[in-house]
Amino acid sequence: MQATPEFAELRGAQRSFAFPLTIAFIAWYLLYVLLSNYAGGFMGTKVVGNINVAFVLGLAQFLTTFLIAWWYSRHAAAKLDPRSEALRTRLEAGE
């Protein structure tokens, strides 16, 4: 089954979505860490009241995590699940 073009296409569809998002999120996280270490003045800038840039960016980390998970679940439901279901049905049928 792994040698079939359909499986390769399914794997490619998953990778073409997951890898770029993973790299982007890691870069975003590392930017936050680097800013926290080397741009303390900027990160300490007050936005509203006692809320500073570091707090806002920290919350944005959580927000982007949930957005990526939501986006991936939509992508999987629309593009990956139908393909994997077709492959599973074919495998169980013995084709």
Side-chain angles (χ1 to χ4, degrees):
M1 182 56 69
Q2 291 179 347
T4 63
E6 294 88 359
F7 186 81
E9 184 180 306
L10 174 64
R11 189 175 54 223
Q14 191 273 334
R15 288 180 177 173
S16 69
F17 187 88
F19 285 171
L21 276 179
T22 300
I23 291 167
F25 183 78
I26 289 171
W28 159 229
Y29 177 75
L30 289 175
L31 175 66
Y32 177 74
V33 171
L34 290 172
L35 287 172
S36 295
N37 283 325
Y38 300 109
F42 170 70
M43 295 295 271
T45 303
K46 302 271 185 202
V47 177
V48 175
N50 286 331
I51 298 174
N52 60 17
V53 172
F55 185 74
V56 171
L57 292 180
L59 288 177
Q61 290 285 320
F62 286 101
L63 178 64
T64 54
T65 300
F66 290 115
L67 285 174
I68 288 170
W70 171 79
W71 192 13
Y72 181 78
S73 70
R74 286 181 46 110
H75 171 74
K79 304 254 165 103
L80 304 179
D81 292 348
R83 291 178 184 174
S84 64
E85 184 62 31
L87 283 173
R88 185 176 68 84
T89 302
R90 197 170 123 199
L91 179 63
E92 288 175 351
E95 293 180 28

